[in-house]
Amino acid sequence: MSARKEIRRFIEDSLKKMRKEVTFSDSDNIFEQKIVNSLFSMRLINFLEKTYHITIEESDLIEKNFSSIDNIISFLTRKNISTQP
Amino acid sequence: MHITKTSKSFTNDQFNWSEYFSENRHSYVLTNDDIIEMIPRVRSYLTESPNLMALILTKLLKRLLKNYSIPENPNILELGAGTGTLTRWLITRYGGKGMLVDNNENSYQAYKNTNHELIDDMDIFYTINDIFSFETHNTFDIVGSFGLIEHFKDKTEVLNAHKKFLKKDGIILLLVPCDTFLSRVYWDLHPELNHGYRELLTAEELSEIAAQNNLKKIDVLKSDGYVYDFLAGLFTLAS
C-alpha cells in the first residue's frame, strides 16, 4: 500500500473512532477545518515515526508538515522515505 | 509571510529616527479608536490552538526527555489534570497507564468530550478528587502537572502532593507558564482566562522553587512558537 493510502487510512480510522463522518481531499488542511484534534496530532506524529522508522526532529514539528495528506507526503519525501508501494 | 500593518497617519518624513528605539510615540499615531480596533486583532493572533499546542508540546517534551530513560509502560499520575493533555502525550509516546486527578466536574466533562473514543483506547482512570486529600495504593514512575503549581502561593504543599505517590526513582514533570513579554501580553489580552491567582515564572524561579522543596533539577526548558511561552521542568527526588 502506498504511504498516501496508509496515511489516509490512519486519519479515517481515527475519525471513525471519533464518530466523525467527514470527507476530505488530500490537499485539505485538516487542522484549519478542525477535522482532527490535538490528541490526533500526537498520535499522527507517533504513527509516522513508527510506521516509517523516522525521527521527527524539533525543526520538523511545524503545522505545515502535517496539515494535509499532500503535505505529509511531501514531508516524508524530504525525509527520503519512499511513498510508493 | 505576514506584512505588518502600516500606520495610516504617520508618513516617512514624520518618522523620528532618533527616537525609534526610545520614547513611546504612539500618541502621535494612534487614536483611541485605533487601539480599540487593534485589541481584537491582536487577541486573534494570540488564540489557543490545540493542534499547535500538540506540536509545540511534542517539540518541548522530546527535547526535555531525550537524554532520560523513561521506563517501559510507565505508571503516570497527573494532578489538576483538566483534560489530561500531559498524560495523553506520555501514553501516546511511551505507553503505560495514567491516573488523572482533578476536583472540577467541568474538567472531567471536558476530558470526556475530548474525543473520548480515542481516549478510551488508553488506560486512563479519572478521579474527581482533591489533589491534597485523594488516596491511592499505587506509586508512580511519573508524576506531573500542566498549569497547576503557578496557582498556589505556597509551593511546598502542592509539590508535596507531587512527591507523595512518586516512586523513589521516579520523575516529576512540571509545566507552567513562563514569564516572558509574550506571556504577559497573552494574559493581559485574555482577562476572561484570569480566574484567580496565577504566577508567571522564569526558568530560574522554577528551578529555585524545586530546589527549596528538595527536588533535583534534571533540566528546565522553555517552549518556542506557541501563543504564550511555557516551561517544562524535569526533576527527581533529591537524595
Side-chain angles (χ1 to χ4, degrees):
Chain A
M1 189 187 296
S2 69
R4 189 174 289 277
K5 281 186 180 170
E6 283 176 328
I7 292 160
R8 174 166 283 279
R9 177 177 284 184
F10 174 80
I11 296 172
E12 287 177 345
D13 284 351
S14 298
L15 292 172
K16 267 184 206 163
K17 285 181 183 173
M18 292 187 267
R19 292 178 193 157
K20 282 189 176 180
E21 287 184 24
V22 186
T23 53
F24 58 98
S25 72
D26 285 5
S27 61
D28 279 345
N29 186 318
I30 57 177
F31 295 148
E32 278 181 6
Q33 296 191 17
K34 301 195 171 163
I35 294 171
V36 296
N37 68 356
S38 62
L39 183 56
F40 168 83
S41 305
M42 295 174 193
R43 290 189 166 201
L44 174 64
I45 291 163
N46 215 38
F47 166 79
L48 295 174
E49 285 193 326
K50 285 187 174 164
T51 306
Y52 301 108
H53 308 289
I54 53 171
T55 300
I56 296 182
E57 306 289 347
E58 275 189 51
S59 55
D60 300 325
L61 286 164
I62 55 174
E63 276 186 304
K64 193 182 170 189
N65 284 340
F66 311 104
S67 59
S68 68
I69 293 177
D70 284 344
N71 285 349
I72 295 168
I73 293 297
S74 300
F75 169 69
L76 291 177
T77 304
R78 287 198 301 279
K79 285 279 187 186
N80 297 320
I81 302 297
S82 169
T83 57
Q84 298 306 313
Chain B
M1 183 189 293
H2 175 80
I3 311 295
T4 60
K5 195 173 168 63
T6 304
S7 168
K8 57 178 180 269
S9 57
F10 205 48
T11 58
N12 195 42
D13 57 343
Q14 292 173 310
F15 199 86
N16 186 338
W17 293 96
S18 66
E19 292 187 358
Y20 185 39
F21 296 109
S22 57
E23 191 182 351
N24 184 343
R25 292 168 57 86
H26 74 271
S27 60
Y28 288 84
V29 185
L30 293 171
T31 65
N32 283 343
D33 285 347
D34 291 329
I35 293 170
I36 289 168
E37 181 265 337
M38 181 192 297
I39 291 172
R41 188 172 69 248
V42 179
R43 274 172 59 93
S44 74
Y45 296 152
L46 300 181
T47 296
E48 287 237 53
S49 156
N51 292 305
L52 182 60
M53 167 55 88
L55 294 177
I56 301 297
L57 184 65
T58 299
K59 192 188 289 194
L60 183 64
L61 291 181
K62 278 183 83 168
R63 187 154 44 108
L64 184 71
L65 300 172
K66 73 178 175 187
N67 294 322
Y68 201 86
S69 176
I70 300 289
E72 206 171 314
N73 296 316
N75 204 10
I76 303 157
L77 172 65
E78 184 172 352
L79 301 175
T83 56
T85 301
L86 179 58
T87 298
R88 289 188 277 124
W89 189 91
L90 289 165
I91 291 178
T92 300
R93 198 87 201 153
Y94 301 106
K97 59 184 178 180
M99 175 184 270
L100 309 185
V101 184
D102 200 305
N103 66 355
N104 189 328
E105 174 72 34
N106 292 331
S107 294
Y108 176 66
Q109 289 308 323
Y111 160 80
K112 291 300 285 181
N113 292 337
T114 308
N115 296 302
H116 53 90
E117 289 84 4
L118 278 177
I119 289 172
D120 285 347
D121 284 354
M122 296 181 173
D123 190 350
I124 293 178
F125 173 71
Y126 201 117
T127 174
I128 302 172
N129 230 315
D130 189 297
I131 61 166
F132 300 112
S133 57
F134 91 101
E135 290 294 337
T136 175
H137 297 298
N138 296 319
T139 55
F140 297 87
D141 302 293
I142 303 172
V143 178
S145 59
F146 191 169
L148 177 69
I149 73 163
E150 71 272 18
H151 296 295
F152 295 87
K153 280 185 185 170
D154 176 5
K155 298 289 185 293
T156 298
E157 190 181 17
V158 69
L159 289 177
N160 282 343
H162 286 72
K163 291 188 273 187
K164 187 174 177 183
F165 301 110
L166 184 69
K167 288 181 182 173
K168 265 187 180 174
D169 56 352
I171 58 169
I172 290 179
L173 277 174
L174 301 174
L175 279 79
V176 297
C178 182
D179 185 7
T180 60
F181 296 133
L182 175 65
S183 296
R184 291 184 188 195
V185 169
Y186 175 81
W187 269 286
D188 261 14
L189 279 169
H190 294 280
E192 75 279 11
L193 299 177
N194 288 326
H195 301 295
Y197 182 80
R198 176 189 289 110
E199 295 172 353
L200 303 179
L201 298 171
T202 64
E204 292 74 21
E205 287 168 336
L206 179 60
S207 303
E208 179 66 25
I209 288 165
Q212 286 165 355
N213 286 279
N214 296 318
L215 294 178
K216 180 183 171 192
K217 180 178 88 172
I218 307 299
D219 210 349
V220 174
L221 299 174
K222 185 172 83 62
S223 67
D224 179 29
Y226 196 52
V227 296
Y228 58 84
D229 296 315
F230 54 97
L231 298 169
L234 173 62
F235 304 93
T236 59
L237 295 172
S239 51

